[in-house]
Amino acid sequence: CHTQQYHQLLLSPLPQKNKATMLSRITVSALVVSLVLAVAEGFVAPGAQNGVLARQTTTQRHVFGGNKKPKEDLSFIESRDMTREEMMNLNKKNEDIMNMELGMMTAFSLVISLPMLYLCWVAFFSE
């Protein structure tokens, strides 16, 4: 019984659609396809012609280091090892700076989270 109804449903002709609806669907489909093709051109290599990449077989000398820059003279820079006191002073200064930054980041995060803390307070302690 159910199989006969199923076959009748499958074999019954589909209702005819309005020509305007079909035309609008075709128009929308054509617009979507053209838009997809236009966007897809952005992903094609610029030298691609007929599906084959144009290859450049000649190389320039400067590509492989033929035109090297002259070495910069850094002899005017004086360098020496730091003494233990200088190292301790630098470490103390860096530690102070890092602690200040940590405090400022903590304060900033608390200021940013104040509205959320207020909303939680109102939600839990209001009647």
Side-chain angles (χ1 to χ4, degrees), residues 9-113:
L9 182 64
L10 284 178
L11 298 175
S12 66
L14 293 174
Q16 293 294 327
K17 294 194 176 196
N18 191 349
K19 281 189 176 184
T21 306
M22 289 293 288
L23 185 60
S24 67
R25 285 187 179 180
I26 291 172
T27 305
V28 169
S29 298
L31 286 172
V32 168
V33 168
S34 63
L35 180 65
V36 167
L37 290 177
V39 170
E41 268 186 10
F43 298 101
V44 177
Q49 298 169 353
N50 298 331
V52 178
L53 287 177
R55 293 190 175 111
Q56 183 179 1
T57 56
T58 61
T59 58
Q60 302 293 331
R61 180 181 164 113
H62 68 276
V63 172
F64 296 109
N67 297 336
K68 291 185 179 179
K69 294 180 184 176
K71 289 192 175 184
E72 189 175 352
D73 182 25
L74 301 176
S75 62
F76 64 92
I77 299 176
E78 295 180 12
S79 63
R80 63 175 179 82
D81 291 337
M82 295 177 74
T83 64
R84 188 176 202 289
E85 292 80 25
E86 289 173 332
M87 185 65 77
M88 296 297 280
N89 289 336
L90 182 63
N91 286 345
K92 177 70 174 144
K93 180 180 168 186
N94 288 340
E95 186 178 355
D96 292 340
I97 290 172
M98 286 190 293
N99 286 337
M100 181 194 60
E101 288 176 347
L102 183 62
M104 294 303 287
M105 287 189 292
T106 304
F108 180 74
S109 66
L110 288 175
V111 167
I112 293 298
S113 62

